[in-house]
Structures are given as structure tokens and as C-alpha cells.
């Protein structure tokens, strides 16, 4: 093809290929979601459906980019972990980051009305960053850091909003009451004053949401059943060793593990049903 005299400008583009053999983590975070949550009257401290919109968007990203082995979401953020040896988009950083961020954003908007009662009043946007981790230990520490963040924030927010909404304290009074307290103090306060055992609150609020690619088997009796591949949201502890022993496919050779669904809770059922519906539609085209 003939070159125009303008073509030379292409050489100004910089190579941003990510080095081989590192875990690629992309984290997106909502812009000013404090305001966005107020504008859309999110329940405090956790709006369950708003978290489900985030999870639906995270699932859509993992359906599209199949080299993502794990997603982790909490509050207005989601992290996605690409296989160490991915060659997606020739490992070009800008391509990976912008595709994931924009796919997440458009899917968030598309999923909104499936979970939320009120309409979107303005377009949300998300920032995105890429962080590279050379070792499995670094990757585990990264994910543990994000899950520890949920714990700290959620325990504080749960106590804060109980004091405001049920004890009638002002925001400032609640803040003063909690200043300098340890986790054990907040647990005690929740139990003594509000009769709440923090550990029995929904796991999605306490642990965040882990998305894993699994073969979903609906009937645990049938050993032969291969199941359908889907992205499964789970709310487990990922800081301890147990999680990594159970889901060996994440750090090892990537073969999706089996996920037997014994009791479908309403969210898991809806998130899975939507994926299977979509797979069926794609198969028809
Ligand atoms: P920035 O633009 O710097 O990220 P931000 O307002 O988004 O600012 P974050 O630290 O990202 O600040 O915090 C997100 C905020 O969004 C939370 O503090 C909370 O107020 C709100 N939020 C997000 N998800 C939910 C939810 N499911 N339920 C209730 N509030 C939520
Ligand atoms: P990549 O993912 O590498 O960007 P691409 O298929 O998007 O691949 P581009 O170089 O971005 O390739 O080219 C965009 C293509 O989209 C055009 O070649 C054309 O075929 C199609 N296209 C975009 N806008 C229009 C339009 N308004 N009308 C018709 N075709 C369009
Ligand atoms: Mg934010
Ligand atoms: Mg955030």
C-alpha cells in the first residue's frame, strides 16, 4: 500500500508491550462514587443491588477476555488478573487497559436496569490502572490487601451507619465515637448496642466478590456431568491457604475447576442464568 507523506507520525507511537512472565493485574475504580451512590440513593452502608451491577459488569469482562483467571470486586472497584503467559493483544498495555475499562463501563450501564429500580441519572465512569506482579506471593498479597481493605471499611461503615441511622447520632458524632477504636471494639459495639454478630452479615459485604471461571454442575449426584462453563461469583476468604488449595487452577496450569451448585441463592442463580441465556443466543447466531 502506498504511504502518504503523513505516515511518519505513526513512528511517534510508543511500544508499551508488557514484559513476559508476570501477573498482569488491572484494577478499575468508579470516579466519585461517593456522589454517584448518593445521587442514586444507594442503601448505606451496602447497596446489595449496586454490588450486583458491579458483579454483572465484572462477569461480562471475564466472558469477553478469556485469559482473565480471576476477578475480585468490592465497593466501586474491580481487579482482573490475566494469566501470566497471556498473549492477548500482544500484551500491549494500553490495549489491555482501555478494553477492560471500557468493557466494564459499558457493561455496567447495560446491566444497571436489570438490578436497580431507579434509572441511571448520569453516565458513570471508571479509572483503570495496570500493576505487574512477578511472583505468586506478590499476587496473593495484592488480593489479600484488597480483601483486608473490605474488612476494615465494612466493619467501620457498618458501625458508623448503625450509630447514625439507629442511634440518631450525627455523622460527626458517629465519627468521634469510632475514632481510635480497634476492630474488637467495633465488633463489641455492634453486638452490645445493636445485637449484631458481625460474622453473620452477608459474606458479599464482608469478603467482596471473587469471580472464577468454572464448569458449573447443577446436579451433584451425577459424576459424569461435565457442566457448562460460566463465571461464578463466590464470597470466600482468599487470604488463607485453603482458598488456593481448593482453586488450584488459578496459579497452576489453567484448567477451569468444577463448581457444584447445591443450593442456588437468588443472586448466583440470576448471574448464572443470564450467562447461559447469552451463550444460547450466541450459539443461535
Ligand atoms: P474516587 O473518584 O477518588 O474513587 P470515590 O467517591 O469513588 O472517589 P472511593 O474510595 O472509590 O471514593 O469509594 C467509593 C464510595 O462509593 C464508597 O465510599 C461508598 O460511599 C460508595 N459506594 C460504592 N459502592 C457502594 C454500594 N454498593 N453501596 C453503598 N455505597 C457504595
Ligand atoms: P482493531 O481492533 O485492531 O481496531 P478494527 O476492525 O476496529 O480492528 P480499525 O482499523 O479500527 O479496525 O478500522 C475500523 C473499521 O470499522 C473500518 O475499517 C470499517 O470497516 C469499520 N467502520 C467503522 N466505522 C464505520 C462506519 N461509520 N461505517 C462503516 N464502516 C465503519
Ligand atoms: Mg471510586
Ligand atoms: Mg473505590
Amino acid at each position: 500500500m502506498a504511504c502518504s507523506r503523513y505516515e511518519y507520525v505513526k513512528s511517534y507511537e510508543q511500544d508499551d508491550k508488557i514484559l513476559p512472565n508476570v501477573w498482569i493485574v488491572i484494577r478499575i475504580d468508579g470516579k466519585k462514587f461517593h456522589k454517584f451512590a448518593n445521587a442514586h440513593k444507594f442503601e448505606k452502608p451496602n447497596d446489595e443491588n449496586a454490588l450486583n451491577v458491579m458483579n454483572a459488569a465484572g462477569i461480562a469482562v471475564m466472558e469477553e477476555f478469556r485469559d482473565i483467571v480471576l476477578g475480585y470486586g468490592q465497593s466501586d472497584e474491580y481487579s482482573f488478573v490475566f494469566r501470566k503467559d497471556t498473549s492477548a493483544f500482544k500484551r500491549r498495555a494500553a490495549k489491555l487497559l482501555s478494553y477492560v475499562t471500557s468493557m466494564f463501563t459499558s457493561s455496567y450501564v447495560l446491566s444497571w436496569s436489570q438490578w436497580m429500580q431507579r434509572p441511571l441519572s448520569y453516565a458513570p465512569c471508571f479509572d483503570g490502572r495496570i500493576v505487574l506482579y512477578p511472583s505468586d506471593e506478590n499476587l496473593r498479597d495484592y488480593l489479600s490487601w484488597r480483601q483486608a481493605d473490605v474488612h476494615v471499611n465494612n466493619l467501620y461503615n457498618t458501625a458508623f451507619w448503625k450509630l447514625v441511622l439507629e442511634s440518631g447520632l450525627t455523622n460527626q458524632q458517629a465519627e468521634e465515637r469510632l475514632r481510635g477504636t480497634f476492630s474488637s471494639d467495633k465488633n463489641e459495639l455492634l453486638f452490645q448496642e445493636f445485637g449484631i454478630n458481625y460474622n453473620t452479615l452477608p459474606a458479599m459485604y464482608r469478603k467482596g466478590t471473587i469471580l472464577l471461571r468454572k464448569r458449573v454442575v447443577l446436579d451433584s449426584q451425577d459424576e459424569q456431568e461435565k457442566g457448562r462453563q460460566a463465571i461464578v461469583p463466590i464470597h470466600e476468604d482468599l487470604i488463607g491457604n485453603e482458598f488456593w488449595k481448593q482453586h488450584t487452577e488459578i496459579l497452576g496450569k489453567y484448567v477451569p475447576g468444577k463448581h457444584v451448585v447445591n443450593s442456588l441463592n437468588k443472586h448466583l442463580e440470576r448471574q448464572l442464568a443470564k450467562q447461559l441465556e447469552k451463550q444460547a443466543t450466541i450459539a443461535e447466531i
Side-chain angles (χ1 to χ4, degrees):
M1 205 201 296
C3 292
S4 79
R5 72 184 185 88
Y6 307 116
E7 195 97 3
Y8 78 95
V9 294
K10 185 106 179 85
S11 67
Y12 281 54
E13 285 183 17
Q14 292 190 332
D15 181 16
D16 63 348
K17 204 169 159 180
I18 291 170
L19 62 156
N21 205 32
V22 285
W23 291 107
I24 301 172
V25 175
I26 291 184
R27 182 170 79 253
I28 58 92
D29 184 285
K31 176 168 181 283
K32 296 223 161 34
F33 256 49
H34 186 74
K35 180 177 146 238
F36 183 83
N38 286 336
H40 294 88
K41 302 214 161 26
F42 282 12
E43 274 175 33
K44 303 283 187 189
N46 288 294
D47 190 296
E48 190 177 24
N49 284 319
L51 291 172
N52 274 306
V53 179
M54 291 291 291
N55 293 342
I59 288 170
V61 167
M62 285 183 66
E63 286 179 305
E64 180 72 19
F65 304 108
R66 309 195 69 83
D67 279 359
I68 297 174
V69 293
L70 179 149
Y72 179 68
Q74 57 124 333
S75 182
D76 67 338
E77 70 170 59
Y78 241 98
S79 298
F80 298 99
V81 180
F82 279 81
R83 273 172 39 197
K84 255 185 151 171
D85 61 353
T86 183
S87 56
F89 313 109
K90 302 201 175 91
R91 294 174 83 89
R92 287 165 61 186
K95 281 249 179 194
L96 286 167
L97 180 59
S98 53
Y99 275 144
V100 167
T101 311
S102 63
M103 184 72 192
F104 187 92
T105 309
S106 59
S107 302
Y108 185 94
V109 172
L110 266 183
S111 306
W112 178 269
S113 63
Q114 291 167 10
W115 296 97
M116 305 300 279
Q117 300 299 323
R118 63 180 56 244
L120 256 182
S121 55
Y122 61 92
C125 59
F126 294 83
D127 71 28
R129 72 195 67 188
I130 297 189
V131 195
L132 307 178
Y133 291 108
S135 72
D136 293 358
E137 189 192 0
N138 294 151
L139 177 69
R140 278 186 60 172
D141 287 347
Y142 168 79
L143 293 166
S144 299
W145 172 52
R146 297 325 300 146
Q147 193 166 61
D149 185 76
V150 183
H151 174 73
V152 171
N153 290 337
N154 190 56
L155 182 58
Y156 181 92
N157 290 338
T158 305
F160 179 90
W161 286 105
K162 280 283 163 199
L163 290 169
V164 171
L165 298 176
E166 290 187 22
S167 303
L169 268 61
T170 63
N171 287 13
Q172 200 190 341
Q173 286 168 333
E175 224 174 280
E176 277 163 20
R177 175 80 191 275
L178 295 174
R179 194 171 298 147
T181 55
F182 296 110
S183 284
S184 53
D185 302 321
K186 287 188 266 288
N187 272 314
E188 197 59 19
L189 179 142
L190 284 172
F191 192 69
Q192 296 299 340
E193 290 192 30
F194 304 102
I196 291 174
N197 178 352
Y198 181 77
N199 290 326
T200 60
L201 292 180
M204 179 159 71
Y205 303 165
R206 292 181 293 111
K207 302 286 178 199
T209 299
I210 304 159
L211 300 180
L212 295 177
R213 208 177 291 282
K214 294 282 182 187
R215 287 181 292 110
V216 177
V217 178
L218 294 175
D219 178 5
S220 58
Q221 307 300 316
D222 187 353
E223 283 294 311
Q224 299 306 312
E225 159 115 46
K226 275 207 173 124
R228 307 266 295 270
Q229 251 201 54
I231 315 297
V232 181
I234 58 175
H235 314 288
E236 293 174 6
D237 174 273
L238 55 68
I239 297 176
N241 287 328
E242 194 47 42
F243 175 85
W244 300 94
K245 274 192 213 147
Q246 201 185 335
H247 307 286
T248 46
E249 76 270 16
I250 303 167
L251 299 177
K253 185 167 160 41
Y254 197 73
V255 181
K258 187 162 148 182
H259 182 81
V260 179
V261 180
N262 294 317
S263 61
L264 278 172
N265 72 46
K266 64 182 192 307
H267 293 152
L268 181 60
E269 189 173 16
R270 278 185 69 188
Q271 298 278 23
L272 288 176
K274 281 182 201 308
Q275 290 177 65
L276 298 181
E277 245 170 56
K278 201 156 120 191
Q279 285 174 17
T281 315
I282 291 167
E284 277 169 22
I285 296 171

